[in-house]
Amino acid sequence: MATTNDLKNGIVLRIDGQLWTVIEFQHVKPGKGGAFVRTKLKNVLSGKTVDRTFNAGVKVETASVDKRDMQYLYKDGDDFVFMDTDTFDQLNVPAATVGDAANFMLESQTALVATNEGVPLYVELPPSVVLEVTYTEPGLQGDRSSAGTKPATLETGYEIQVPLFLEANTRVKVDTRDGSYLGRVND
């Protein structure tokens, strides 16, 4: 338990049985009436944000969220198996928890896995990853980067839009937040 005076950005609270991260907070002392704390909270599981006001000094329940770098090993049915790189313990993470990160994960890749009391909450990848294009239509003479885009399939099976000049077996940098093409990687 903590009071509203202990609130900081990034702290995780348990409110009505759900986990919420504090995105912003502001202590307000109006000229008339009692002080209060205005917060913006983000639901850890759904990503929904809400504004919530607490009276000053009110006790709020905090939750411990353990964030660890883990290595993605393999897919087991609907679960993704991760290994803690320090203790070598394995953790099964459901596909619903992994979400869109599955589109950019290769075996033996490192990701940040957040857990609360042993229950996986979410998987966070680096902002960008390097993946190989396994299939795309061949480029034509005169195609330039500003001319347009075409679909390309990555080695994970995910499809993104790439410039017309790119060909198969090219390594590209991809933004993991929105799946956009960031550039070609020369080895």
Side-chain angles (χ1 to χ4, degrees):
M1 294 296 262
T3 66
T4 53
N5 297 332
D6 301 326
L7 291 182
K8 294 189 242 1
N9 288 348
I11 194 170
V12 179
L13 306 175
R14 185 183 303 275
I15 302 171
D16 301 330
Q18 294 184 325
L19 297 178
W20 299 83
T21 303
V22 176
I23 300 172
E24 295 175 13
F25 71 98
Q26 179 183 18
H27 292 276
V28 179
K29 176 72 174 103
K32 205 176 203 181
F36 58 91
V37 179
R38 189 177 292 137
T39 62
K40 183 177 274 191
L41 304 172
K42 179 178 178 183
N43 190 305
V44 171
L45 297 176
S46 69
K48 182 174 114 177
T49 59
V50 296
D51 293 325
R52 181 125 185 209
T53 304
F54 298 97
N55 289 331
V58 170
K59 296 230 181 256
V60 289
E61 187 179 351
T62 58
S64 64
V65 174
D66 186 22
K67 296 179 182 177
R68 294 176 184 246
D69 280 331
M70 294 190 161
Q71 184 178 23
Y72 169 55
L73 296 179
Y74 57 91
K75 189 167 182 188
D76 181 25
D78 286 341
D79 290 354
F80 292 80
V81 180
F82 288 85
M83 177 184 69
D84 188 325
T85 53
D86 296 331
T87 63
F88 303 108
D89 291 336
Q90 292 187 7
L91 176 69
N92 284 22
V93 180
T97 304
V98 174
D100 290 339
N103 298 328
F104 309 106
M105 285 191 324
L106 291 175
E107 291 179 0
S108 77
Q109 181 177 350
T110 302
L112 184 81
V113 179
T115 58
N116 172 256
E117 298 171 0
V119 177
L121 300 174
Y122 60 87
V123 174
E124 192 174 292
L125 291 177
S128 64
V129 293
V130 175
L131 296 169
E132 187 172 312
V133 174
T134 56
Y135 176 77
T136 187
E137 294 294 326
L140 300 172
Q141 183 65 30
D143 285 340
R144 297 289 175 255
S145 62
S146 62
T149 61
K150 62 182 178 180
T153 305
L154 301 173
E155 57 188 309
T156 59
Y158 188 67
E159 193 172 277
I160 65 168
Q161 294 293 318
V162 298
L164 293 171
F165 66 84
L166 274 183
E167 296 184 6
N169 302 325
T170 304
R171 295 176 59 74
V172 295
K173 194 174 202 178
V174 181
D175 189 324
T176 58
R177 295 167 294 207
D178 60 6
S180 62
Y181 167 82
L182 295 175
R184 183 170 39 179
V185 176
N186 297 323
D187 291 327

